[in-house]
Amino acid sequence: MSEKLQTIIAGMTLEEKAALCTGASNWTTTPVERLGVPELICSDGPHGVRRQANVHETGAKSLPATCFPTASCLASSWDVDLISQMGQALAEECQALNVNVLLGPGVNMKRSPLGGRNFEYFSEDPFLAGEMAASMINAIQSKGVGTSLKHFATNNQEFQRFSISSEVDERTLREIYLPAFEKAVKQAQPWTVMCAYNKLNGTFASENYHLLTEILKKEWGFEGLVVSDWGAVRNRVAALKGGLDWEMPGPQPRRVQAVVDAVRSGELDEAILDESVRRILRIIFKSTETPKTASFDVDAHHELAHKIAAEGLVLLKNNGILPLRDQQHVAVIGHAAEEAHFQGGGSSHINPTRVAVPFKELQAQAGDAELTYAEGYPADNSFHQPLIDQAVQLALSADVAILYIALPTFKESEGYDRKDLDLTVQQVALIKAVSAVQPNTVVVLNNGSPVAMSAWIDGVAAVVEAYMMGQAGGAAIADVLYGKVNPSGKLAETFPLRLVDTPAYLNWPGSAGSVRYGEGLYIGYRYYDAREIPVLFPFGYGLSYTTFAYTNLKVSSENFRDVDGLTVSLDVSNTGKVAGKEVVQVYVHDRLSGLERPVKELKGFAKVDLQPGETKTVSIALDFRAFAYYHPEYKQWITEDGEFDILIGASAQDIRLSAAVTLQSTLNLPCILDNESTINEWKADPRGSKLMVEWQPFIERETRKSFESQERYGDEKDAEDGLGMGDIMQMVNDMPLFSGLMFVEKKLPQTPEDLVASLLKQVHSLD
Ligand code: BGC
């Protein structure tokens, strides 16, 4: 392969190479017919194939394809096998619709519930998002169809998404915003990675050498090509230098010429252009092997979309009204019962093959019960009291009222962020009015991201979070309401009580061109845990029609080496009367660490399917990274000797079992002591501590003497300034070694500068 590519590259003119690095149309590469280089076709993504009928024409209508559940719903299934099935089906549709690369999945973190595009992303947790993305990519690519992992990186909001600079410190980047990308790249090698629109720490993602070249290509070993988000490239030459291979969309003759000119003038090394050409050619030739089929199984894929949606719905509240049994009169209320709200606005919008209408699906399962319908709220943002009155009348005479409440697209979409967590004024008034007259009120929500519920949740009997559940979601809702499916979805994000409680609240959405990620590592449950802030529903939460017991936690070893990792096992039993599935979550808590760490972090999970009375043993492996954190000074993931707690939860706030384990680090870290290192830091460093055996007691002794000679410090208690000797020593040890030495300079054999320089020389020579 590579020889063939080398020959082609050698035969290409400079103009052809530059043109290949920019698209020929909205969805295709620039072919080089004379050298047998065909075009590659890509299409959105991520939860369906948005293949435009004519890929060379802008704005052409898209062909019908299955609209699978959006990532918001999919992620709540916590089921990587199911995600893999969806990936395979998506690939089959790409084969049938002649698409080589599907633009997805998206793995950006849900930094704030206000993110307009959160419905396209998996989670607030990088481990969960990474597992899901890797599973989807592996499945799609196993069928010869490529993917585009997006949007790399820190594209966590829509506000000024084309220009804003996400200001993120390196540790936060490595531990929160990059790991999902990292896992997907390392475990699944997507054919392409799509760079984000925004800047990261002042440099456009499309030109960001640190991100695209140093981290993605060199450190993680990404073999594919980097494509720009559509219109994300400002300076084409700078982008090539940064590591952006393929600019989209095209054609862009002006920019192609800029690349040619830059090579000719010596501004751009042709070797950089050749490397991008090589990466693009490699993927194009891979895509020539994408199987082509005449059609896909529309029915089977609709059924799969139905099954996935049913696994992704989350039962948030249930006073026992669900599953519905023999209610004779069911009042079905809400616009979304007739017009399903199953996907979001923007580039991911699919032309569905068919749509399950929630009302009809409910009717199909309701037996001989009578179902009546009231619209309840209008499709737009206006207020119509008569619609509420009509709904109340219907609910009054019914045995149960089911409210289908969808957050409208004018509130949530790609392209803009939400302004609040609220449903529309009319929707809130409707829920309150109906539940005031009908105690058996069930609310079914369709939205891409958490909504506030405090105003009405206490008054309703049950709440089902159905998210944007794909074209078959209407049937999945009916399954869950009537108990044909026992709900097993769990939240992949925290539902806060109030917007002001959310982690990014004070730093959202930024201003003057930048947004500071001031909450650092503390997004999602990491924040609520650390601040002990109550939430509406925690991460990992979801109810079932049965109950589960967790017992018999075992760890493969209580003392282990980081490189060996650990295996955790436990028994999960279905203690209820119906079959059900439970999502078991493994969190790791570090008891003591050199740098601050979140209280606990998700590092493993499993979904178990259990018949009533059945028990299964679940085993989950934890590797080096489950215990490590990124140290910005060492510039690597490190482990430290010490004790950790393995916490087994049914949610982030429902820890059922725990075990203590002791880790032994095998790392031999380089010495990072420098002129400003404190005495405490010298003592904490294994090599520095050897030298401090002499110098720290010396500093203490001389400091003590000097203070004692001032008499007033003789006694710990009676110092004039309220400081005892112990307090003073604490201060001294927290000073740079140099400063500590300055205070006892008269007793030193040499200047503090010379002494620190010589100690640093010694300590670094021990590396
Ligand atoms: C979106 C991408 C999408 C692309 C092509 C952009 O506006 O951010 O996610 O793949 O358009 O439609």
Side-chain angles (χ1 to χ4, degrees), residues 524-533 598-601 652-653:
Y525 65 89
R526 289 165 170 79
Y527 177 79
Y528 301 106
D529 268 1
R531 301 273 332 268
E532 296 181 3
I533 291 176
V599 179
K600 63 175 182 295
E601 298 183 277
Q653 285 189 7

Side-chain angles (χ1 to χ4, degrees), residues 642-661:
E643 292 188 321
F644 290 79
D645 294 301
I646 308 295
L647 308 170
I648 311 294
S651 83
Q653 285 189 7
D654 184 6
I655 302 302
R656 302 278 182 90
L657 300 169
S658 73
V661 292

